[in-house]
């Protein structure tokens, strides 16, 4: 399956995207350079176990965390 994660950047930036499980272990990480504007990250979650995960978007000094539930 796919999880679609929208985010907005006010200016071009390097984005660090990280997914952790409930134990705080990193299960996915990607660094990308994005232009300003709205973006949609398509994350392939078919190999993830069902459960609760947190994703973190880090841009400059700003860190955003959200919870997602995977049901495979």
């Amino acid at each position: 399956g796919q999880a679609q994660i929208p985010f907005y950047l006010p200016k071009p930036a390097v984005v660090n995207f990280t997914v952790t499980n409930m134990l705080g272990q990193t299960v996915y990480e990607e660094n990308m350079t994005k232009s300003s504007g709205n973006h949609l990250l398509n994350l392939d979650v078919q190999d993830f176990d069902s459960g609760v995960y947190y994703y973190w978007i880090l841009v400059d000094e700003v860190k955003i965390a959200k919870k997602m539930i995977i049901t495979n």
Side-chain angles (χ1 to χ4, degrees):
Q2 293 278 321
Q4 294 187 326
I5 299 166
F7 63 97
Y8 172 79
L9 295 175
K11 63 180 182 177
V14 175
V15 177
N16 173 266
F17 177 77
T18 305
V19 178
T20 62
N21 61 19
M22 288 293 291
L23 300 175
Q25 298 166 320
T26 299
V27 295
Y28 180 85
E29 185 170 18
E30 181 178 353
N31 291 304
M32 58 197 105
T33 301
K34 295 288 187 182
S35 60
S36 61
N38 291 306
H39 299 278
L40 189 63
L41 181 83
N42 290 306
L43 179 64
D44 183 1
V45 295
Q46 70 182 15
D47 292 334
F48 286 28
D49 291 332
S50 293
V52 177
Y53 293 84
Y54 292 92
Y55 64 85
W56 308 80
I57 297 173
L58 176 63
V59 179
D60 296 325
E61 298 298 315
V62 178
K63 192 175 208 178
I64 298 168
K66 300 272 184 172
K67 180 168 69 171
M68 68 178 169
I69 299 172
I70 305 294
T71 54
N72 283 335

